[in-house]
Amino acid sequence: MSQIFQVIGALLILIPFAWSTLGALDTSAPFYLWSNLAGGTALGVTAVIGHQWGFVLLESAWTLVAAARLINRAGFRAEPRES
């Protein structure tokens, strides 16, 4: 079961990446970002279970960047502080 979860996670990252590399998908498109978020999460969870800490770091960063871009696209930006 874990292998299937890993393959699905990898495909969720690799297919949109290939499309963006070929110019068929913008990297700021919601589909690209959501796929990266889901794929990174799936791979990160399996890495934690397998105690693969370098992979946990990679997938955590991948997931956090995708989440930050989605939050930014949704318009949730921090208000600048006044001095």
Side-chain angles (χ1 to χ4, degrees), residues 33-79:
L33 298 172
W34 281 109
S35 292
N36 276 272
L37 181 69
T41 300
L43 292 172
V45 167
T46 60
V48 167
I49 292 168
H51 301 266
Q52 299 171 342
W53 305 118
F55 199 44
V56 169
L57 176 62
L58 174 68
E59 294 309 324
S60 296
W62 197 278
T63 302
L64 290 172
V65 169
R69 290 281 308 266
L70 284 165
I71 290 168
N72 188 292
R73 282 185 54 85
F76 298 109
R77 294 184 180 93
E79 294 295 324

Side-chain angles (χ1 to χ4, degrees), residues 5-21 25 27 31-44 55 58-63 66:
F5 201 58
Q6 289 176 3
V7 169
I8 291 170
L11 289 173
L12 284 170
I13 292 173
L14 292 173
I15 291 171
F17 173 74
W19 287 346
S20 70
T21 301
L25 182 64
T27 58
F31 173 75
Y32 182 88
L33 298 172
W34 281 109
S35 292
N36 276 272
L37 181 69
T41 300
L43 292 172
F55 199 44
L58 174 68
E59 294 309 324
S60 296
W62 197 278
T63 302

